[in-house]
Structures are given as C-alpha cells and as structure tokens.
Amino acid sequence: MKRSNAQRLRDALEDDIINGRRAPGERLDPEALCRDFEVSRTPVREAIQQLVASGLVTVTPKKGTFVARVGLDQLIEMFEVMAELEGMCGRLAARRITEEEVDALREALMRCEAAAKAGDTDEYYYENEGFHHAIYAASHNGFLAEEARQLKQRLKPYRRLQLQVRKRMGRSLDEHREILAAIEHGDAERAEGLLRAHVVIQGERFSDFVSSVRRFGARLDAV
C-alpha cells in the first residue's frame, strides 16, 4: 500500500514518540520537520492534525505544538470502550451483512494474510484497518461506525505497538479468520464476543502490552 508523505511523516513521528525518542512536553518545530523529512508544509500540517486526533500531540495557541502526555490508565479505558464498540459492530454485521460485503470482508482478510506472510507489521496494520472498516460498514449503523473509527484513530499508535509483541500478528490473523466465520454464519453473539476479545487488553495481553510500552520507552505519565 503506497502511503502519502503525510502518512509516512505521521508514522515516523508516532514511532519516535512511542519509542521515547521524542519526550512528553517536547516541542515539534514544523519548519524543522519540513527540512528533516524533505517535505512541504502541507504534509507536515496534515500529519500534525492526525497526531492531534490520536491524542499524541497537543497544540497550544501562541506557544506551539508539543508531544502530549498520555496516561496508561486512560489508555486502558479507551481500549475497553473500543472493544465494546467493535463488539456492537460485529453483532450488527452478523445480522445485516450483504453478500457483496461478505466478499469485501474476505478480500480484506486475504490482504491481511499476505501482509502477515511477508512479516510486515506496518503493512499488516493498514490491512487490518481495512478488515475492521469492512465490519463497520456491514453494521449498517453510520453513527456507530463513525464513533468506532474516531476512537480507533486515537488508539492507532498503540495498536501498532501491540503488533510488535512477539507472535501477536499471527494470533491477530487467526482471530480475524474466526470473526469472519462467525459473521458469515450469522452468529451475532459469537461475532460480538470474538471482536470484543480481539480488541480488549486483559490477562496476558495486558501484561505484554504494558511490557512493550515500557520496553520501547513510551513515557506514559499519569494524566
């Protein structure tokens, strides 16, 4: 998947923040970013807007743009809400999905499989987005789909970080296959449960997530 300059810059800044190369409270200089990444002001502005939407960056009038402080407790709470939204989308999709939408979901899964086979976590992340967005569309509830997309965008860098946990990409793909099967068979209850479990961070996955956050140096101070 070809990415725009804004997407590539956003991903690079996300990695710097998550990996601790840019500390909470650090100022981001748009002019310096233009020089460092050899891009115009437009992709820098777009990337910063997307980072603001994800909660990684804040803009203070007359002062500038800064790396935000994100609390781990708040982050876990956001994942809990995301899991519930995803579960609702899965339940409705199992009841309402059309044959054309089933085909689109299958194709999205195939693209996830190709990315996983290549061992490309970034590419898998973007194809994973397509898989979940296909479920949102199949829910036929525009308000729910928009809420899910907005929160998913805010959690984007941390969901990318999850995929760096050893073997998580393979497990995620297996879960996608189960989710597709439940939706295809119209099993609304199973689809809801599978999607909720796919997203929520609990048990061993919680420990792995916290460990990865600390290992990669993301400084998540309490808000």
Side-chain angles (χ1 to χ4, degrees):
M1 180 183 295
K2 187 176 181 180
R3 302 183 187 110
S4 67
N5 285 337
Q7 287 176 313
R8 290 189 290 104
L9 176 56
R10 179 194 64 197
D11 288 350
L13 289 173
E14 281 180 353
D15 285 340
D16 281 351
I17 294 169
I18 292 295
N19 293 334
R21 291 188 290 270
R22 293 183 185 271
E26 179 179 336
R27 185 175 183 275
L28 299 179
D29 182 352
E31 295 299 327
L33 293 174
C34 288
R35 293 193 303 270
D36 293 345
F37 290 91
E38 299 181 339
V39 296
S40 66
R41 292 183 179 182
T42 298
V44 170
R45 183 169 58 252
E46 291 176 356
I48 287 175
Q49 288 173 345
Q50 292 168 11
L51 289 169
V52 169
S54 70
L56 278 183
V57 164
T58 59
V59 177
T60 304
K62 298 182 180 181
K63 291 186 178 181
T65 302
F66 301 88
V67 176
R69 297 178 182 273
V70 181
L72 183 58
D73 289 345
Q74 181 188 29
L75 194 58
I76 298 304
E77 291 171 354
M78 290 167 69
F79 269 103
E80 287 178 344
V81 174
M82 186 75 250
E84 294 302 318
L85 294 177
E86 290 271 348
M88 291 174 65
C89 286
R91 184 179 73 245
L92 294 178
R95 289 162 40 190
R96 301 174 177 177
I97 196 167
T98 66
E99 287 302 319
E100 291 79 8
E101 288 167 340
V102 169
D103 290 339
L105 193 56
R106 288 173 182 156
E107 290 171 5
L109 176 60
M110 289 175 63
R111 290 192 293 271
C112 288
E113 289 173 337
K117 185 177 181 179
D120 188 335
T121 55
D122 277 342
E123 186 66 17
Y124 181 86
Y125 170 80
Y126 285 105
E127 299 302 349
N128 172 69
E129 288 283 273
F131 181 82
H132 285 267
H133 286 177
I135 294 173
Y136 301 166
S139 75
H140 293 273
N141 184 314
F143 179 79
L144 174 61
E146 183 59 25
E147 291 296 305
R149 279 192 292 267
Q150 287 183 3
L151 184 51
K152 203 173 191 70
Q153 177 63 23
R154 288 196 65 188
L155 288 170
K156 176 181 181 294
Y158 303 100
R159 291 185 294 107
R160 287 180 66 205
L161 180 60
Q162 278 184 294
L163 291 174
Q164 297 178 25
V165 172
R166 187 171 180 265
K167 296 185 178 181
R168 176 57 196 156
M169 186 164 58
R171 290 195 296 270
S172 172
L173 185 58
D174 288 340
E175 291 164 8
H176 280 189
R177 294 186 181 112
E178 292 184 65
I179 290 165
L180 172 60
I183 291 175
E184 281 185 304
H185 287 91
D187 191 338
E189 184 176 349
R190 179 167 172 75
E192 180 178 21
L194 286 171
L195 270 158
R196 187 186 295 118
H198 180 63
V199 175
V200 76
I201 303 175
Q202 59 186 4
E204 291 183 354
R205 282 182 59 190
F206 174 80
S207 299
D208 289 342
F209 180 69
V210 172
S211 175
S212 66
V213 166
R214 290 171 176 165
R215 186 174 67 252
F216 287 109
R219 304 172 190 177
L220 303 178
D221 299 328
V223 173

